[in-house]
Amino acid sequence: MGETEVSAGCGRTAHAHELRAAWGRRSQEAGWDPPGGWWTPSVDTVCEAYTSGADLVDPCTRLGEARGRSGVDIGHSLADLAAFTGVAGWEHAPFELVRALAEGWVDAGRTQDHCQDPLTGLGTPAYLRTRVGELYRSPEGTAPSALGHQLVVLALDPSIDPWRRAARLIVLGYELRRYFSRGESVCVVDRGRIAVVASRSEQVDRELEVLRRGPGWEHGVAVWSVPLPPTHREALTLLDGLGRRRR
């Protein structure tokens, strides 16, 4: 193994955290976008394996699977691996690690559930767009059911560490199942935002107030809602704006 860019005098856990931070910085400098979508539990698996001297083939396979399930293309996945191996001290990524990541990425594509985010279990951004589009389908001359729906948005603080934000997103996604259990679509927008397609009703409004005072306050989450606009095109513009706002 090569010499890493991080100090070698710290404990193994601290060394793994330092390696993770350096890897994340280098990957983002190389163009990873959005920055908040970089961390996944498999990143920690790779860092812990490296700092303990364990074999990296299986962790890199799992990293490839995670990247593939998240919709990251193979080029960006390999560039991210190159960022890791550069921080770890290799001039070039070892072939066996490149192959392991690529094989994991391909395997993820064979079994990928395109409707479910692998980290949180919530709907994907693509599913959110599909669900919103369905609400604008209506017989000619009639108002779409979208006009009776709203988009509830929950946004985590973008200034916290990406991995800490991702961990809070997982917990928040689980807790939201208690508040939205009547057919609402709960989806991730990115690694810092969740959007819920819900009906416009007094009951939902009351639950939003409880949500703000409970998990919203506990996790530092901003909660707001906006009615779905009159046209599908305007709705897509709204969704695009949610995805760009925090980058």
Side-chain angles (χ1 to χ4, degrees), residues 22 102 108 124 146 184 208 244:
T124 62
E184 297 91 349
L208 288 184
R244 289 193 300 264

Side-chain angles (χ1 to χ4, degrees), residues 124-138 144-147 149-152 185-187 189 195-198 226-240 242:
T124 62
Y127 178 75
L128 174 62
R129 295 172 74 89
T130 298
R131 179 68 186 112
V132 167
E134 291 173 343
L135 295 174
Y136 285 91
R137 297 174 188 166
S138 61
S145 61
L147 301 186
H149 287 73
Q150 60 184 322
L151 201 63
V152 177
S185 297
V186 185
C187 306
V189 176
V196 184
V197 181
V226 58
L228 285 179
T231 68
H232 186 208
R233 179 175 294 180
E234 291 173 301
L236 292 179
T237 299
L238 172 63
L239 295 178
D240 288 341
L242 285 177

Side-chain angles (χ1 to χ4, degrees), residues 88-130:
W90 282 291
E91 183 178 358
H92 302 290
F95 173 74
E96 62 271 19
L97 302 188
V98 173
R99 181 174 62 186
L101 182 134
E103 289 176 349
W105 189 90
V106 170
D107 287 343
R110 291 178 182 140
T111 60
Q112 183 174 354
D113 181 347
H114 294 279
C115 295
Q116 189 175 63
D117 175 68
L119 188 64
T120 63
L122 303 179
T124 62
Y127 178 75
L128 174 62
R129 295 172 74 89
T130 298

Side-chain angles (χ1 to χ4, degrees), residues 150 152-154 172 176 178-180 182 198-199 201-218 221-226:
Q150 60 184 322
V152 177
V153 182
L154 302 98
L172 184 61
L176 287 180
R178 293 189 292 131
Y179 293 87
F180 301 104
R182 295 177 302 277
S199 62
S201 67
E202 292 183 0
Q203 182 175 2
V204 171
D205 291 342
R206 287 193 297 269
E207 290 180 348
L208 288 184
E209 286 302 316
V210 176
L211 185 59
R212 290 187 183 99
R213 295 194 300 268
W217 181 85
E218 181 181 351
V221 176
V223 182
W224 71 92
S225 65
V226 58

Side-chain angles (χ1 to χ4, degrees), residues 38-50:
W38 175 77
W39 184 85
T40 175
S42 58
V43 164
D44 284 348
T45 301
V46 172
C47 292
E48 290 162 5
Y50 179 84

